[in-house]
């Protein structure tokens, strides 16, 4: 079970424990029954290294609110080999 956080416009934040991946983008507030949007947070991220936590949060947010790009991302830079003999090796 994972604790998911929602924010009611009238009552404030509240949490609910659900199976992983079962959280909806909106849930009814248990107090006033207003539809409440989900707050994107990941519990226990302070125990992970910051890079993993950032990617995990980004991955989870992209399920419902994917990032939209307006142009093609630039190509990755090719690594320059430190040994000149590596330049003669066959390429895949
Ligand atoms: Zn409420």
């Amino acid at each position: 079970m994972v604790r998911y956080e929602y924010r009611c416009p009238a009552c404030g934040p509240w949490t609910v424990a659900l199976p992983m991946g079962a959280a909806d983008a909106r849930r009814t507030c248990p107090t006033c029954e207003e539809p409440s949007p989900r707050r994107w947070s990941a519990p226990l991220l302070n125990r992970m290294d910051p890079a993993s936590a950032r990617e995990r949060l980004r991955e989870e947010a992209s399920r419902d609110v994917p990032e939209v790009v307006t142009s093609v991302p630039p190509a990755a830079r090719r690594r320059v080999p430190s040994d000149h003999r590596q330049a003669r090796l066959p390429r895949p």
Side-chain angles (χ1 to χ4, degrees):
M1 297 294 256
V2 179
R3 297 194 72 78
Y4 291 98
E5 193 172 335
Y6 292 85
R7 182 168 189 83
C8 175
C11 307
W14 53 277
T15 60
V16 62
L18 298 168
M20 186 174 283
D24 299 322
R26 294 184 154 272
R27 286 187 82 83
T28 304
C29 173
T31 307
C32 67
E33 300 188 355
E34 281 287 316
S36 306
R38 183 174 169 196
R39 282 183 71 185
W40 296 104
S41 62
L44 304 176
L45 285 185
N46 58 350
R47 293 183 184 173
M48 300 174 71
D49 68 285
S52 296
R54 203 171 28 252
E55 289 304 315
R56 188 105 184 243
L57 189 59
R58 184 174 171 221
E59 175 194 350
E60 189 163 334
S62 71
R63 292 183 192 155
D64 293 325
V65 189
E67 294 178 6
V68 177
V69 295
T70 56
S71 62
V72 176
R77 297 180 90 187
R78 178 170 267 180
R79 224 176 106 214
V80 177
S82 58
D83 188 344
H84 69 280
R85 292 177 294 182
Q86 291 180 357
R88 289 185 281 170
L89 293 174
R91 303 250 179 248

